[in-house]
Amino acid sequence: MPYAACAPKPSKHSIVFILADDIGYGDFSCYGAMRVKTPHVDQLAREGIRFTDAHATGSVCTPTRYAFMTGQYAWRNPLGAGILSGEAPLAIDATKATTASLLKQGGYTTGIVGKWHMGLGSGQINWNTDIKPGPLEVGFDYAFIYPATGDRVPCVFIENHRVVGLDPNDPIQVSYDHKVGNEPTGREHPELLTLKFKHGHDATIINGISRIGWMSGGKSAWWKDEQMADTLTKKAVAFIEQNKDKTFFLYLATHNIHVPRVPHPRWDHTSGCGTRGDAIQEFDGCVGEIVATLDKLKLADNTLLIVTSDNGGVIGDGYDSGDERDLNGHLCNGALRGYKGSLYEGGHREPFIARWPGEIKPGTESSELIGLVDMMATFAAVAGVEMPKDGGPDSFNVLPALLGGKSPRDHLVVQSNGVERQAIRVGEWKYIPGKPAAHARAAGGGLYSTSPNVQLYNLANDISEESNLAEKNPGKVKEFQALLDKIKTDERSRP
Ligand code: NG6
Ligand code: CA
């Protein structure tokens, strides 16, 4: 049969996927936050479905984003399995299908705005010329990104292949190995800092904040930290407006609420929970603008809108912004144990809200198990595109769960930073294999840590992972270890 005869019809439903950075399970009011107010996110929950067992498949950024883009667990590929620097090469295999390329193939116009953090180029990036391969080479028609994180150099935006606002007479140089150029560093000149560092973050000072890594030049292109949220929101709104007559996929990856947390001054002291709370409210404001844009353009009914986050909440995270002092009772991960970077639920269980008028019943709640690695197969189903046989090996189509039914998942593997250690969920059980004590060093002031012991929890009655049942259940430990081993050797886990 000719391809066209069996190809599904192109979809009329656009997809907007808003991925927050470091927002935890308890950070939105509709997930239990008492003081921090998130009216726009809450409104989406009232109009759509709110998941209570959705997971970022990594407890740090790069692995989750890699899995979202490729439908493959990031620990299968050492390039995308750990937190990347701002000069790491592209971690995604550009010859394979991605979430974006599949949608593009399905007739979508595809755009990314915000945090990339999946590597750029193929080694030795020259920031002063075309920067590729990157988003445009893996399925996006349009990209307005920053390379890694808000706390990593280079602190510039890249639109499609080029640094935005770069003066050719002031070229950019970047290193993660040694100081380059003459810009002062946080370590040498702490008196110049408007935000003090606590751990790491002591290299080049950009806008009064010292970062991870050194950079020189590109001054006219440096972003303004307090305008980051507004800049990205404006670009996202513009992308929607420009493509209002098409079917589009927008991946909006916000800087909020990653460090350095510098919300626009209009959000200062609005949350009652310090800068971290203010940054959550600024994120909520951004969601509100996206919703208002869809409403204004009468696109809301034709758009699947998702709000979620890339890893669990964290307090502090390298700068001295008074997070602990200002918490005011706020529990960023609710009742969950652990933080960003940990294999405990606090590291990877996320708020996940989906609104799709006419398709998703308003005000529903789901306790089905889903992961962000599933978005590839799920979006393919929304678009009516077939999954390639050799693509998205770990991506399950969870559209039935989004529509209020069952998830096809009975298990899910989650990871922390790097390829070494993964945990597995099977039904109500969570199994965390042991880790040799020599490797169990905790980073980030201990917040990122997971105990090195073999652990087994029954989440049905122990959501806070307090009671380790591993010793009492050697049979289950063996069974789950064998399943984890099989998923690894099979190199795929989806049907
Ligand atoms: C860690 C940084 C942390 C943050 C994280 C990446 C230190 C001590 N900690 O190495 O501040 O940047 O990397 O976060 O430097 S993520 O959300 O992008 O994964
Ligand atoms: Ca993150």
Side-chain angles (χ1 to χ4, degrees):
M1 204 192 303
Y3 176 74
C6 61
K9 272 205 219 112
S11 159
K12 293 225 169 47
H13 295 274
S14 294
I15 300 171
V16 176
F17 184 74
I18 304 181
L19 187 66
D21 199 352
D22 293 3
I23 280 188
Y25 191 72
D27 275 331
F28 296 140
S29 8
C30 57
Y31 279 84
M34 305 295 279
R35 286 190 179 78
V36 173
K37 289 164 288 301
T38 53
H40 297 105
V41 172
D42 303 346
Q43 175 76 21
L44 287 179
R46 280 196 297 277
E47 294 171 0
I49 187 165
R50 187 182 79 95
F51 282 80
T52 56
D53 202 0
H55 297 260
T57 20
S59 64
V60 289
C61 182
T62 301
T64 293
R65 288 159 202 261
Y66 175 87
F68 163 70
M69 275 295 289
T70 63
Q72 182 195 43
Y73 287 137
W75 46 263
R76 296 196 196 276
N77 170 13
L79 278 182
I83 300 170
L84 293 183
S85 82
E87 58 174 3
L90 179 65
I92 299 169
D93 180 346
T95 65
K96 293 237 172 83
T98 66
T99 301
S101 74
L102 269 185
L103 289 172
K104 188 169 165 155
Q105 181 195 318
Y108 282 62
T109 301
T110 55
I112 170 169
V113 173
K115 178 170 180 173
W116 179 244
H117 212 191
M118 288 178 281
L120 290 167
S122 22
Q124 293 294 326
I125 307 171
N126 179 349
W127 300 95
N128 307 294
T129 161
D130 274 358
I131 299 158
K132 58 183 183 185
L136 299 197
E137 284 66 40
V138 298
F140 287 105
D141 295 309
Y142 173 75
F144 184 92
I145 59 163
Y146 56 102
T149 61
D151 54 350
R152 281 174 175 74
V153 298
C155 300
V156 295
F157 294 117
I158 298 171
E159 190 162 32
N160 298 324
H161 288 135
R162 289 283 180 148
V163 169
V164 179
L166 180 64
D167 172 358
N169 297 318
D170 184 26
I172 296 175
Q173 206 190 333
V174 169
S175 171
Y176 277 74
D177 176 62
H178 56 273
K179 182 172 172 174
V180 289
N182 300 317
E183 292 300 332
T185 67
R187 176 147 297 263
E188 297 159 349
H189 290 285
E191 77 283 359
L192 298 177
L193 298 174
T194 52
L195 184 60
K196 305 267 176 234
F197 61 88
K198 259 188 168 171
H199 311 279
H201 303 96
D202 59 356
T204 302
I205 301 175
I206 306 284
N207 307 333
I209 301 167
S210 48
R211 317 277 165 160
I212 302 174
W214 293 267
M215 80 176 283
S216 69
K219 260 200 171 146
S220 57
W222 292 1
W223 67 53
K224 306 255 179 317
D225 291 86
E226 69 278 10
Q227 286 169 18
M228 199 97 164
D230 290 338
T231 303
L232 299 179
T233 305
K234 260 192 218 127
K235 289 288 170 187
V237 166
F239 177 83
I240 297 173
E241 284 173 348
Q242 275 152 24
N243 294 291
K244 66 180 171 36
D245 299 322
K246 300 183 182 149
T247 306
F248 59 83
F249 166 54
L250 170 63
Y251 171 24
L252 170 56
T254 68
H255 163 67
N256 295 53
I257 62 162
H258 198 278
V259 294
R261 299 186 188 102
V262 189
H264 187 272
R266 73 182 184 278
W267 296 98
D268 281 355
H269 310 293
T270 55
S271 70
C273 299
T275 329
R276 190 178 177 284
D278 298 345
I280 299 171
Q281 297 199 166
E282 185 179 51
F283 171 83
D284 184 74
C286 157
V287 170
E289 288 192 39
I290 300 298
V291 168
T293 305
L294 294 173
D295 283 346
K296 184 185 79 189
L297 300 172
K298 307 210 175 344
L299 298 174
D301 285 350
N302 278 338
T303 304
L304 167 60
L305 173 58
I306 291 173
V307 176
T308 185
S309 174
D310 70 333
N311 54 249
V314 60
I315 306 301
D317 211 18
Y319 291 100
D320 191 3
S321 46
D323 282 5
E324 288 89 349
R325 180 198 62 209
D326 297 338
L327 272 179
N328 207 0
H330 181 78
L331 297 170
C332 66
N333 297 320
L336 307 179
R337 178 176 180 180
Y339 296 89
K340 168 181 179 174
S342 158
L343 284 173
Y344 298 122
E345 294 291 294
H348 53 82
R349 191 182 289 231
E350 299 302 330
F352 184 104
I353 293 163
R355 182 191 77 168
W356 193 7
E359 306 286 334
I360 293 175
K361 209 168 140 229
T364 41
E365 188 180 303
S366 173
S367 57
E368 292 295 303
L369 178 65
I370 63 169
L372 297 191
V373 68
D374 297 328
M375 295 305 108
M376 184 186 204
T378 306
F379 293 174
V382 170
V385 183
E386 267 178 55
M387 282 287 278
K389 295 249 169 328
D390 66 341
D394 301 300
S395 191
F396 286 61
N397 171 12
V398 299
L399 183 57
L402 261 54
L403 300 178
K406 292 272 166 219
S407 165
R409 278 204 170 277
D410 55 5
H411 69 276
L412 177 73
V413 180
V414 293
Q415 70 160 95
S416 53
N417 188 14
V419 292
E420 300 86 29
R421 201 176 183 204
Q422 300 87 35
I424 188 164
R425 256 299 285 289
V426 186
E428 61 196 28
W429 294 95
K430 162 99 169 273
Y431 167 62
I432 308 178
K435 185 170 185 181
H439 302 285
R441 190 177 61 88
L447 282 174
Y448 283 20
S449 61
T450 309
S451 150
N453 300 334
V454 177
Q455 293 159 80
L456 179 71
Y457 299 102
N458 187 322
L459 300 182
N461 51 37
D462 182 19
I463 193 70
S464 304
E465 296 169 286
E466 283 170 339
S467 179
N468 183 1
L469 304 175
E471 268 181 37
K472 283 193 204 134
N473 294 275
K476 290 231 173 300
V477 167
K478 223 173 137 186
E479 178 193 334
F480 298 152
Q481 182 63 54
L483 178 58
L484 200 48
D485 291 342
K486 182 175 168 3
I487 290 171
K488 285 189 194 176
T489 45
D490 283 355
E491 292 180 8
R492 62 183 289 128
S493 59
R494 76 165 162 98

